[in-house]
Amino acid sequence: MSPHPAATPTPPSHPNPMALTTHPPLQLRARPPSLAAAHRRRALLPPRRARPCRCCAGADAGKAQARRAYPYDEIEPRWQAHWEERRTFRTPDIGDGLDTSRPKCYILDMFPYPSGAGLHVGHPLGYTATDILSRFKRMKGFNVLHPMGWDAFGLPAEQYAIQTGTHPKTTTARNIDRFRMQLKSLGFSYDWDREISTTEPAYYKWTQWIFLQLLKRGLAYQAEVPVNWCPALGTVLANEEVIDGVSERGGYPVIRKPMRQWMLRITSYADRLLEDLDDLDWPESIKEMQRNWIGRSEGAELEFCAVDQEGHDLGAKLTVYTTRPDTIFGATYLVVAPEHVLLPSLTSEEQRAHVEEYTEVAARKSELERTELQKEKTGVFSGSYAKNPATGEIIPIWVADYVLASYGTGAIMAVPAHDSRDHEFALKYELPIIKVVSPPNGNCDPEEAYADDGIMINSSSSSSGLNINGMLSQDAALEVTSWVESNGFGKKKVNYKLRDWLFARQRYWGEPFPVIYLDDTNEMVPLTENQLPLTLPELDDFTPTGTGEPPLTKAADWVRTTDVLTGKPARRETSTMPQWAGSCWYYLRFMDPKNSSTLVDKAKESYWGPVDIYVGGAEHSVLHLLYARFWHKVLYDIGVVSTKEPFKCLINQGLILGEVEYTAYRDNEGKWVSADSDSSLSDCIQEKVPADKITKVGDNYVLKDDPNIRLNARAYKMSKSRGNVINPDDVVSEYGADSLRLYEMFMGPLRDSKTWSTGGIEGVHRFLGRTWRLVVGAPLPDGSYKDGTMVTDVEPTFEQLRVLHKCMARVSEEIQETRFNTAISAMMEFVNAAYKWDTQPKSVIDSFVLLLSPFAPHLAEELWFRLGHAQSLAHEQFPEAKNEYLKESEIVLPVQINGKTRGTILVDKECSEDDVFQIAASDDRLSKYLDGKAIRKRIYVPGRILNVILDQQKART
């Protein structure tokens, strides 16, 4: 295939940080080039570090050989500089050299938040996988879009800035530089010309533009809602950012309080978000998580009139939502959320102090804590009652934090006989439990709530005229719904667990809202599109105000403004958008990152969309992915994008855990206690044991000095607190980037969690060293290597081609199925076979180097050049296996005597029946059954079996 247009020399997009010296031209042993060709190759080859003088090299040769299996420290910086200087992986734009007649493949990583800690070895797992796929697709003739950017707004940068007094803009830029340098050191084939950051005004101009479109369509609004407020951080937190009543970041107390906030009406898209999941090539577990998060249910809204203890009407009606209207006769009390708007009017004077104390405690809990199924249910009586419309009975109204104001109506009818939470609550507070559903088989545990469908019992009332006794649950639910609708007590209702998206944060480091408020009327006025971007002011003091007011209120000159249409004085919105905003649509900007006149060009979006392969962690399965799908559907509705979904195929990579930690136990006297001991280990002292002091016996790990002492062995998620974080910079320095890439893919299936092992990376490093020596030869006495290769221009044998093409077929299939570990195994098998050959034919080695290149691109590029090629292999054609070399010429054939298998023979696939029989007759194991015997007939199924039927009668005579 002809070289990609990006192969032509052009100025690099980023300066190369590595100063490299020029090395002499390589002398190629195989197929010596013409002088002109040699000059062309020297012009394309990156400079090589100068070798040390002979005396110095001799002194350090032994040490260098022990440290590295091949000269990766020279090869990798050289080829990274080459790719950058020539923009090898640049993807041209439509109209700028992109051949749109070729198929496209958009491969995307979930872009990182650039923290000050930099990458750890868990990050490159997904990045390496997408890089292998990208390199493979380019070589298969696809136009590949493989970009990288930064999700850089958000709380972590702001908190660091507050703690250090450094502006978040400064720390963010520094962190991005570090991440970029680390990614480049791993040889990822990103198109750096398309790099974006969510903090750049040219980017968030379009985030603000999208918000204005949401506002125009009524999908953005303001509301007074209960929020997780953290006074120490000075911001609202999402439910997922609150753990056990404190902030995930910093561990500060969090309270629930009502605040006026921007909301996005994601619930308007709930059905579409649910229905379109079926068409996505995503893990079923992720789709199920989104289905559960959306939580669509069908039921009814029922009205209960509030009354006092004597049944006098209090003038208030409580609306409850239930998915089981059939159980209305079993409703023995109502429960309202502590935030319910009617609670103050429902609370009696006798109970007011108790209710206020309870609601204050509930305000300090997150929604996740309140709805935890295992937690003990708590509540308090409001002092008021309600009338059950079906029975006419007076039932108490309670307050409990397991009911949320944000779900349904914030009130439920409690049916303790048929709901486990209500049952637990009723037992604790001695409330009535009335069974109204009987299992079809009549069997159920009387001590537990029965939550399934069945046959209705105890469900009739002469006063209300409703009788559903004997009906099946589903029929009874329809009957009750019809009854309440006809009597004005309620209506049929579809409900969702999904709530509207709380889309505001009281912090500085985020996108400003493009709206103002008129001073005289407080009317909200959106900015015009030509006023975008509204940039953040330079603020020296961005610490929390302590009052709930956002830090932007301190930028008085920025806050005060004028409405351009009326000239009236106005003020800006001082809350900012959440970090999720910029990550909702970044995949679209990569298609057209420099466009200043529109979010994305229609032709570019139509060609590149949707993302073909999206790789990232499962922790983003709900929030980011659901929010991005929501925004994408809005953009689809207004004609910005041409597809209903943003991400066609989703792959979740597993975690890389730290190295296995071995824990032993000592008693109070300092004696070892085995981990499988009958005595309690809780009183023992835990002690970490180094790996060199343990050994494995069967499935267990024991002390070398005392095999009777079993240890606990466990790998943990990498974290600073455990001290088990592996820095990829250290791994690259010791083993090379190709070894790190190869090891992370070889550890196991991409989607599984894996445990880091330094011994494992040493193994793949040795494999790359063997590959290098197979092609280049053994090192010279000074530790250096001669130029050129050991390959020859001989014609390959049929067996060599068979080994190569089997490797080709397997590697190609395994890459496409993302089974990278088995693809690497196939290449290891090839190298093992090639070492047994008398010669290494150039045509065979050429093909193998191309197979290796997506996995170990630096080594492959160096070998490709030494093999006499003038251009980078990045856009060479990926080798295709030919069927004639994949057919096995010999097979193992079972041989039966009188229908009983007596052995097997090795025969050619095309062997005739007579030849097969002769081979069987001459086989030592089979001949004893045939010698001197009369044969009645032979049954031969080619490729399957040979069955020899003996003439038993003649055999006896």
Side-chain angles (χ1 to χ4, degrees):
M1 188 171 66
S2 61
H4 194 281
T8 55
T10 50
S13 56
H14 296 284
N16 177 20
M18 297 168 285
L20 303 174
T21 58
T22 304
H23 71 87
L26 299 179
Q27 301 299 315
L28 304 174
R29 291 186 58 189
R31 197 173 289 173
S34 65
L35 184 61
H39 280 299
R40 284 197 300 272
R41 281 200 306 281
R42 283 199 294 273
L44 285 167
L45 184 68
R48 181 170 65 184
R49 287 177 177 164
R51 292 173 178 157
C53 63
R54 292 273 178 179
C55 58
C56 296
D60 294 336
K63 181 179 178 181
Q65 285 302 104
R67 181 172 54 87
R68 57 190 179 130
Y70 69 102
Y72 61 86
D73 52 341
E74 295 181 13
I75 294 169
E76 291 178 357
R78 183 158 74 244
W79 284 102
Q80 288 164 18
H82 173 86
W83 296 328
E84 184 160 351
E85 290 162 5
R86 287 158 179 80
R87 297 158 81 193
T88 301
F89 306 111
R90 172 181 171 268
T91 303
D93 269 330
I94 292 176
D96 185 30
L98 186 72
D99 180 3
T100 56
S101 66
R102 299 167 66 181
K104 68 92 179 180
C105 191
Y106 185 178
I107 301 176
L108 184 64
D109 299 293
M110 291 184 184
F111 67 168
Y113 190 94
S115 68
L119 299 174
H120 62 66
V121 294
H123 291 105
L125 179 65
Y127 302 158
T128 303
T130 58
D131 194 59
I132 290 170
L133 292 169
S134 297
R135 290 176 178 272
F136 174 73
K137 289 291 187 180
R138 285 190 199 98
M139 298 173 77
K140 296 292 282 186
F142 285 75
N143 289 327
V144 173
L145 182 59
H146 187 40
M148 176 51 70
W150 319 104
D151 185 14
F153 271 134
L155 189 58
E158 185 163 338
Q159 278 305 109
Y160 182 80
I162 291 170
Q163 293 165 6
T164 62
T166 309
H167 199 281
K169 183 176 181 179
T170 302
T171 56
T172 298
R174 184 169 63 232
N175 294 343
I176 287 174
D177 288 343
R178 172 161 169 73
F179 265 62
R180 186 192 303 114
M181 179 194 70
Q182 287 183 298
L183 291 175
K184 288 186 175 182
S185 75
L186 294 170
F188 297 134
S189 60
Y190 294 123
D191 179 357
W192 288 106
D193 284 8
R194 294 175 182 265
E195 180 183 3
I196 60 174
S197 170
T198 58
T199 62
E200 294 298 324
Y203 178 86
Y204 68 72
K205 166 186 177 178
W206 298 106
T207 308
Q208 293 171 335
W209 181 87
I210 295 173
F211 176 81
L212 292 178
Q213 310 316 305
L214 294 166
L215 192 60
K216 287 178 185 177
R217 286 153 182 81
L219 297 171
Y221 65 97
Q222 289 181 300
E224 190 91 2
V225 293
V227 298
N228 299 315
W229 171 254
C230 179
L233 296 176
T235 190
V236 171
L237 299 177
N239 290 332
E240 293 71 24
E241 297 171 312
V242 182
I243 300 174
D244 296 331
V246 299
S247 62
E248 182 182 27
R249 180 168 291 275
Y252 302 111
V254 175
I255 62 173
R256 296 279 291 177
K257 74 172 188 176
M259 292 183 68
R260 191 160 185 81
Q261 297 286 341
W262 279 104
M263 309 289 292
L264 296 187
R265 214 178 298 274
I266 189 174
T267 50
S268 296
Y269 282 74
D271 282 329
R272 288 168 62 182
L273 289 168
L274 192 61
E275 292 163 5
D276 292 346
L277 280 171
D278 294 339
D279 299 327
L280 296 177
D281 181 14
W282 287 18
E284 192 57 38
S285 60
I286 301 300
K287 293 198 284 187
E288 193 60 26
M289 287 178 71
Q290 291 211 359
R291 292 187 186 106
N292 292 336
W293 191 267
I294 295 168
R296 186 183 191 276
S297 62
E298 294 184 3
E301 279 187 350
L302 310 177
E303 285 188 353
F304 289 72
C305 293
V307 296
D308 61 18
Q309 191 169 7
E310 284 74 34
H312 299 133
D313 195 336
L314 295 178
K317 291 184 178 180
L318 270 176
T319 302
V320 305
Y321 172 77
T322 178
T323 59
R324 294 293 302 271
D326 56 307
T327 62
I328 189 170
F329 284 94
T332 59
Y333 61 99
L334 300 187
V335 184
V336 298
E339 307 87 3
H340 198 286
V341 293
L342 292 180
L343 181 58
S345 62
L346 294 173
T347 304
S348 68
E349 289 305 316
E350 295 82 6
Q351 289 295 108
R352 193 166 300 281
H354 300 296
V355 171
E356 289 178 351
E357 180 184 1
Y358 184 82
T359 56
E360 184 179 339
V361 172
R364 292 195 289 269
K365 298 180 182 179
S366 72
E367 290 189 3
L368 291 180
E369 289 178 86
R370 287 170 53 175
T371 55
E372 175 62 44
L373 292 177
Q374 282 72 36
K375 85 175 190 74
E376 183 182 0
K377 304 297 180 292
T378 62
V380 63
F381 177 47
S382 70
S384 294
Y385 299 82
K387 182 178 291 186
N388 186 326
T391 66
E393 295 180 357
I394 304 302
I395 60 177
I397 301 173
W398 282 70
V399 186
D401 62 8
Y402 74 87
V403 177
L404 303 176
S406 55
Y407 177 68
T409 64
I412 66 166
M413 68 174 199
V415 184
H418 305 290
D419 181 276
S420 59
R421 295 182 308 169
D422 297 344
H423 188 267
E424 180 184 341
F425 192 90
L427 289 176
K428 181 174 181 178
Y429 294 104
E430 299 181 348
L431 295 166
I433 300 174
I434 299 175
K435 182 179 177 182
V436 295
V437 182
S438 177
N441 59 12
N443 297 323
C444 69
D445 187 343
E447 302 299 320
E448 300 290 337
Y450 175 72
D452 292 334
D453 290 344
I455 300 169
M456 306 309 302
I457 59 174
N458 302 323
S459 297
S460 68
S461 170
S462 57
S463 61
S464 68
L466 180 61
N467 182 356
I468 54 175
N469 272 332
M471 288 187 179
L472 296 176
S473 295
Q474 293 180 347
D475 296 333
L478 296 175
E479 180 68 19
V480 172
T481 302
S482 175
W483 179 81
V484 297
E485 286 182 332
S486 62
N487 287 278
F489 296 141
K491 61 183 178 180
K492 184 178 180 180
K493 179 73 173 178
V494 175
N495 205 15
Y496 302 89
K497 289 182 181 178
L498 180 69
R499 276 96 69 190
D500 281 347
W501 178 5
L502 196 155
F503 194 71
R505 297 292 185 268
Q506 285 63 52
R507 64 187 183 211
Y508 168 69
W509 195 235
E511 299 93 335
F513 283 95
V515 299
I516 60 173
Y517 302 90
L518 300 181
D519 284 354
D520 57 353
T521 63
N522 206 35
E523 177 189 356
M524 185 274 295
V525 178
L527 299 185
T528 58
E529 292 180 12
N530 60 9
Q531 292 178 278
L532 303 181
L534 172 61
T535 57
L536 274 176
E538 291 291 334
L539 198 60
D540 294 329
D541 180 12
F542 31 78
T543 57
T545 60
T547 64
E549 290 292 316
L552 279 178
T553 57
K554 300 175 184 180
D557 293 340
W558 181 85
V559 173
R560 304 305 310 167
T561 187
T562 302
D563 179 18
V564 295
L565 296 178
T566 65
K568 293 181 178 181
R571 66 189 185 280
R572 299 193 190 280
E573 171 67 72
T574 52
S575 291
T576 54
M577 299 185 198
Q579 180 184 342
W580 306 107
S583 63
C584 272
W585 70 280
Y586 74 106
Y587 59 93
L588 294 172
R589 195 60 177 172
F590 280 135
M591 301 175 186
D592 195 12
K594 303 295 191 295
N595 198 325
S596 60
S597 60
T598 188
L599 185 150
V600 61
D601 177 81
K602 285 185 178 296
K604 295 175 183 178
E605 185 280 328
S606 179
Y607 179 75
W608 287 114
V611 175
D612 294 284
I613 301 172
Y614 195 30
V615 177
E619 65 272 17
H620 302 294
S621 58
V622 173
L623 296 184
H624 161 60
L625 289 172
L626 199 62
Y627 293 159
R629 293 181 63 220
F630 165 47
W631 277 32
H632 190 89
K633 290 181 182 301
V634 175
L635 294 174
Y636 175 78
D637 290 347
I638 64 177
V640 174
V641 298
S642 59
T643 63
K644 292 182 179 181
E645 288 286 336
F647 313 118
K648 184 178 179 181
C649 172
L650 175 69
I651 298 174
N652 295 131
Q653 83 272 15
L655 290 174
I656 291 186
L657 306 174
E659 293 210 54
V660 174
E661 297 178 14
Y662 304 97
T663 305
Y665 300 88
R666 291 184 188 270
D667 62 19
N668 294 332
E669 297 178 358
K671 296 179 180 178
W672 292 116
V673 178
S674 183
D676 60 345
S677 172
D678 292 335
S679 58
S680 174
L681 298 177
S682 59
D683 298 329
C684 294
I685 301 170
Q686 295 186 20
E687 183 176 318
K688 285 187 180 180
V689 180
D692 60 354
K693 295 187 179 298
I694 63 101
T695 187
K696 191 172 184 181
V697 177
D699 294 331
N700 301 310
Y701 293 92
V702 299
L703 289 174
K704 281 184 178 178
D705 295 340
D706 188 351
N708 293 317
I709 301 300
R710 186 185 298 181
L711 291 78
N712 279 335
R714 180 181 170 187
Y716 295 86
K717 185 177 179 179
M718 289 188 183
S719 67
K720 289 181 181 178
S721 60
R722 293 204 69 86
N724 63 348
V725 174
I726 304 294
N727 188 330
D729 297 348
D730 297 335
V731 179
V732 170
S733 175
E734 188 169 357
Y735 296 102
D738 284 344
S739 293
L740 175 59
R741 292 167 59 109
L742 209 67
Y743 176 56
E744 296 214 348
M745 295 298 97
F746 191 58
M747 292 170 75
L750 176 63
R751 295 162 177 81
D752 292 356
S753 292
K754 297 161 278 284
T755 302
W756 181 268
S757 168
T758 300
I761 196 169
E762 288 173 350
V764 297
H765 185 62
R766 288 193 297 271
F767 161 68
L768 292 177
R770 292 190 75 219
T771 303
W772 169 261
R773 294 188 298 276
L774 175 71
V775 181
V776 175
L780 298 171
D782 65 356
S784 65
Y785 293 87
K786 58 188 174 185
D787 294 330
T789 67
M790 299 292 291
V791 302
T792 58
D793 270 331
V794 299
E795 286 295 320
T797 65
F798 182 87
E799 178 59 23
Q800 288 172 329
L801 290 172
R802 193 175 71 84
V803 171
L804 171 66
H805 283 260
K806 285 179 65 177
C807 183
M808 284 180 187
R810 192 170 166 199
V811 170
S812 182
E813 178 183 352
E814 304 296 54
I815 290 177
Q816 292 180 81
E817 298 298 325
T818 66
R819 296 190 293 257
F820 304 118
N821 54 324
T822 49
I824 295 168
S825 295
M827 290 186 285
M828 290 178 170
E829 291 171 10
F830 172 88
V831 170
N832 288 339
Y835 261 94
K836 299 174 184 177
W837 299 343
D838 294 332
T839 60
Q840 277 74 46
K842 183 177 183 301
S843 61
V844 172
I845 299 301
D846 273 358
S847 295
F848 176 72
V849 169
L850 293 175
L851 293 178
L852 179 66
S853 64
F855 297 85
H858 307 89
L859 175 61
E861 288 275 25
E862 181 74 12
L863 295 178
W864 188 248
F865 183 84
R866 285 171 171 262
L867 288 163
H869 301 282
Q871 297 285 352
S872 165
L873 54 67
H875 300 281
E876 289 291 327
Q877 185 173 345
F878 199 80
E880 295 275 355
K882 294 182 179 179
N883 287 332
E884 60 259 37
Y885 299 115
L886 301 179
K887 297 176 182 178
E888 293 289 347
S889 59
E890 292 182 323
I891 60 171
V892 175
L893 188 76
V895 178
Q896 293 183 343
I897 309 296
N898 290 336
K900 186 173 183 178
T901 302
R902 296 296 187 177
T904 59
I905 55 176
L906 192 64
V907 300
D908 191 277
K909 256 189 173 181
E910 307 302 325
C911 221
S912 67
E913 179 180 336
D914 288 339
D915 290 338
V916 168
F917 177 76
Q918 291 303 323
I919 294 171
S922 60
D923 185 275
D924 291 339
R925 297 166 301 170
L926 298 171
S927 59
K928 62 182 179 181
Y929 298 103
L930 300 174
D931 289 347
K933 306 293 193 306
I935 298 173
R936 188 169 64 180
K937 66 175 179 177
R938 298 191 306 232
I939 302 171
Y940 176 54
V941 181
R944 300 283 298 277
I945 198 167
L946 170 66
N947 187 8
V948 181
I949 308 299
L950 302 179
D951 189 329
Q952 298 297 322
Q953 184 174 2
K954 292 185 179 179
R956 285 195 297 270
T957 59

